[in-house]
């Protein structure tokens, strides 16, 4: 959880007990509340994105999913030929993994489009509970499915869980010190790394995809426990985002549902105010859309086509390694806010688009001699994407006023989803085009 914690507010020499008429909470209580919220938001980021990441890591397995009569277990894609076009230099599935990406992102897009229209004003606890239930349902449905169609329905549940959770928790950060944004971002990066690594590791160890998914059912329970039992209820913030109320008086959210259901700063924003805030966010929204368009075009459009036959890894294993290394890069950069802050995020968008162009040319010409070079490029891709995400939301939090921050965070989170959705729509025809030519 490196880089996600800030220090509790300290008194200067001029703010001693003799000149300060207001009683100060004990430092130990202040630090306790600080760490509970820091760990709580890190775990929420981890659990919220976990099912989403696992579904993308399992995309190749879902699309090559087969069942034999009388056998209810998944066929191991590492030991059974699953390719439907083995003569192709790309070893293509009949459907691009972008189909899984679209099932994993379009419901999230709908949810995030609704957020600025009032979804962020609904009570927080029912939204969190719905998110946890959908995450658990996604693991169960994909694990026990008998067809690709049913598996994709499970992926849709994972998308609903992730999208609803992201809108909810990013909005919730408006009522806590700004340091929790870094904790949340680091947690989402951790979800990418741990989700992809756990799926890769368990399947490499011989566990079937079905049993691997069932082993992850504890993650939704951890999400609910982190929110209801770990976070303290929101308190008033000073202009710098640090706590100004007595942390010792703050209770876990499960015991303070009435006060946390609508923790807004005042009356809802008017349409004119929302439009003004939205226009002010465009210089952050557009670069983040481009970053995520480029990186997910790579991930779900090109990963399965970057196939090396002269290696000990099977096609399915290569795809899982790509996903894991990408998520490792994302985790590192999303946890780096305390070390490196980037204001001009358009630079990251430009570099990511160049990354896409380079790998697209390699898919067409196959000039990279080794899979290890692709591994390095993919880690770099993840570093760019993670840095764009955490710096965008940090910059927004620092530049928006208290009364606009909840709406701004809920609105800006549509950026990554819009870019991912566009990439999935374009990756599908690209897959069909290249596989027909090869």
């Amino acid at each position: 959880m490196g880089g996600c914690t800030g220090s509790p507010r300290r008194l200067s020499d001029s703010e001693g007990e003799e000149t300060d008429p207001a009683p100060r909470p004990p430092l130990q209580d202040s630090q306790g509340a600080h760490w509970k919220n820091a760990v709580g938001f890190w775990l929420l980021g981890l659990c919220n994105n976990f099912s989403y990441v696992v579904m993308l890591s399992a995309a190749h397995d879902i699309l090559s999913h087969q069942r034999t009569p009388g056998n209810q277990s998944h066929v191991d894609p590492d030991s059974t030929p699953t390719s439907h076009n083995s003569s192709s230099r790309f070893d293509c599935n009949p459907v691009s993994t972008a189909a899984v990406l679209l099932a994993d992102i379009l419901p999230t897009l709908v949810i995030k489009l609704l957020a600025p229209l009032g979804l962020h004003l609904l009570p927080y606890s029912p939204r969190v509970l719905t998110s946890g239930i959908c995450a658990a349902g996604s693991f169960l449905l994909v694990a026990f499915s008998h067809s690709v169609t049913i598996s994709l329905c499970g992926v849709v549940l994972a998308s609903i869980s992730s999208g609803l959770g992201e809108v909810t928790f990013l909005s919730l950060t408006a009522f806590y010190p700004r340091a929790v944004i870094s904790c949340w971002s680091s947690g989402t990066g951790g979800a990418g790394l741990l989700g992809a690594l756990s799926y890769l590791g368990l399947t490499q160890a011989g566990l079937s995809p079905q049993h691997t998914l069932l082993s992850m059912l504890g993650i939704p329970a951890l999400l609910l426990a982190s929110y209801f039992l770990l976070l303290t209820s929101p308190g008033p913030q000073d202009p710098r985002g640090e706590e100004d109320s007595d942390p010792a008086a703050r209770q876990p959210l499960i015991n303070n549902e009435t006060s946390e259901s609508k923790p807004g700063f005042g009356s809802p924003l008017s349409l004119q105010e929302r439009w003004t805030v939205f226009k002010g966010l465009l210089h952050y929204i557009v670069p983040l859309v481009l970053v995520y368009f480029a990186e997910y075009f790579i991930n779900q459009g090109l990963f399965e086509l970057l196939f090396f036959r002269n290696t000990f890894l099977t096609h399915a294993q290569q795809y899982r390694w790509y996903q894991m290394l990408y998520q490792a890069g994302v985790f590192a950069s999303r946890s780096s806010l305390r070390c490196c802050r980037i204001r001009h995020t358009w630079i990251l968008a430009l570099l990511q688009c160049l990354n896409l162009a380079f790998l697209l040319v390699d898919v067409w010409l196959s000039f990279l001699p080794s899979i290890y070079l692709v591994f390095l490029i993919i880690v770099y891709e993840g570093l760019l994407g993670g840095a764009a995400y955490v710096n965008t939301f940090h910059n927004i939090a620092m530049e928006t006023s208290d009364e606009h921050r909840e709406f701004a965070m809920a609105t800006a989170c549509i950026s990554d989803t819009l870019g991912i959705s566009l990439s999935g729509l374009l990756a599908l025809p690209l897959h069909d085009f290249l596989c027909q030519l090869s």
Side-chain angles (χ1 to χ4, degrees):
M1 202 172 66
C4 81
T5 58
S7 299
R9 184 182 179 186
R10 294 181 178 178
L11 296 175
S12 64
D13 293 338
S14 62
E15 295 178 309
E17 294 181 357
E18 295 182 358
T19 59
D20 188 356
R24 295 287 180 174
L27 181 59
Q28 184 177 2
D29 291 335
S30 177
Q31 290 178 332
H34 166 76
W35 281 105
K36 286 180 69 176
N37 291 326
V39 173
F41 271 97
W42 193 88
L43 288 174
L44 289 174
L46 171 74
C47 298
N48 185 72
N49 283 27
F50 197 90
S51 60
Y52 167 82
V53 170
V54 167
M55 295 306 163
L56 292 183
S57 297
H60 192 277
D61 295 338
I62 289 174
L63 293 177
S64 60
H65 173 246
Q66 297 180 15
R67 291 203 181 260
T68 57
N71 183 6
Q72 298 302 311
S73 61
H74 286 249
V75 175
D76 184 358
D78 298 334
S79 59
T80 303
T82 60
S83 173
H84 295 264
N85 190 10
S86 58
S87 61
S88 165
R89 69 185 176 99
F90 297 125
D91 191 30
C92 296
N93 272 313
V95 180
S96 168
T97 52
V100 176
L101 175 65
L102 289 175
D104 211 9
I105 202 63
L106 288 181
T108 296
L109 178 62
V110 173
I111 290 171
K112 291 185 177 181
L113 287 173
L114 292 175
L117 302 179
L119 177 62
H120 68 290
L121 298 177
L122 296 176
Y124 280 82
S125 292
R127 284 191 271 164
V128 175
L129 188 60
T130 301
S131 178
I133 292 173
C134 287
S138 69
F139 289 130
L140 291 170
L141 199 56
V142 175
F144 291 110
S145 70
H146 292 261
S147 67
V148 171
T149 302
I150 299 299
S151 294
L152 291 178
C153 290
V155 175
V156 167
L157 283 180
S159 177
I160 294 172
S161 170
S162 176
L164 182 60
E166 186 173 13
V167 169
T168 299
F169 298 128
L170 275 174
S171 297
L172 192 62
T173 63
F175 309 105
Y176 290 86
R178 288 183 176 92
V180 301
I181 297 173
S182 180
C183 299
W184 160 266
S185 298
S186 177
T188 58
L193 178 61
L194 294 178
L197 188 60
S198 61
Y199 189 83
L200 170 67
L202 291 173
T203 52
Q204 288 278 102
L207 210 61
S208 69
Q210 179 185 38
H211 291 103
T212 297
L213 292 173
L214 291 176
S215 70
M216 298 173 178
L217 282 172
I219 298 297
L222 180 59
L223 179 134
L224 297 178
S226 300
Y227 176 79
F228 286 108
L229 301 178
L230 190 56
L231 287 189
T232 57
S233 59
Q237 309 296 317
D238 71 14
R240 295 181 300 276
E242 298 297 331
E243 297 171 339
D244 214 291
S245 59
D246 184 358
R250 297 168 67 192
Q251 301 297 322
L253 292 178
I254 195 171
N255 296 326
N256 199 15
E257 172 64 20
T258 301
S259 64
E260 70 84 23
S261 294
K262 295 183 179 180
F265 289 110
S267 59
L269 300 179
S270 66
L271 288 177
Q272 180 61 38
E273 287 178 306
R274 294 183 188 190
W275 176 244
T276 301
V277 174
F278 175 75
K279 288 191 297 183
L281 294 174
L282 284 177
H283 67 290
Y284 287 126
I285 289 177
V286 173
L288 195 58
V289 169
L290 291 176
V291 167
Y292 272 83
F293 169 80
E295 71 183 74
Y296 274 84
F297 195 97
I298 295 171
N299 292 1
Q300 305 305 129
L302 303 185
F303 273 6
E304 63 176 329
L305 303 179
L306 292 167
F307 175 46
F308 289 81
R309 297 184 183 274
N310 58 339
T311 180
F312 65 94
L313 296 172
T314 67
H315 194 179
Q317 291 171 340
Q318 289 179 42
Y319 182 85
R320 296 173 198 154
W321 272 100
Y322 291 157
Q323 290 287 350
M324 190 277 293
L325 291 170
Y326 160 75
Q327 297 294 352
V330 170
F331 174 66
S333 56
R334 287 196 182 188
S335 304
S336 67
L337 188 60
R338 294 293 299 277
C339 303
C340 179
R341 296 181 181 178
I342 302 172
R343 179 173 174 79
H344 302 294
T345 54
W346 62 266
I347 298 175
L348 301 174
L350 175 61
L351 293 174
Q352 197 71 291
C353 289
L354 291 175
N355 218 11
L356 167 61
F358 180 81
L359 288 177
L360 188 58
V361 172
D362 177 67
V363 166
W364 184 260
L365 300 178
S366 298
F367 61 84
L368 288 177
S370 170
I371 192 173
Y372 298 104
L373 293 176
V374 176
F375 284 170
L376 290 176
I377 294 172
I378 288 172
V379 172
Y380 169 64
E381 174 209 349
L383 290 172
L384 293 176
Y389 182 94
V390 67
N391 282 280
T392 293
F393 286 106
H394 173 75
N395 292 337
I396 291 172
M398 295 301 295
E399 296 177 13
T400 53
S401 61
D402 287 348
E403 63 270 22
H404 294 156
R405 191 172 304 120
E406 182 185 17
F407 171 77
M409 299 297 274
T411 301
C413 72
I414 196 177
S415 308
D416 56 346
T417 307
L418 181 60
I420 294 170
S421 300
L422 292 174
S423 70
L425 290 172
L426 290 180
L428 280 171
L430 174 72
H431 171 275
D432 294 340
F433 173 75
L434 292 176
C435 290
Q436 288 173 2
L437 286 181
S438 61

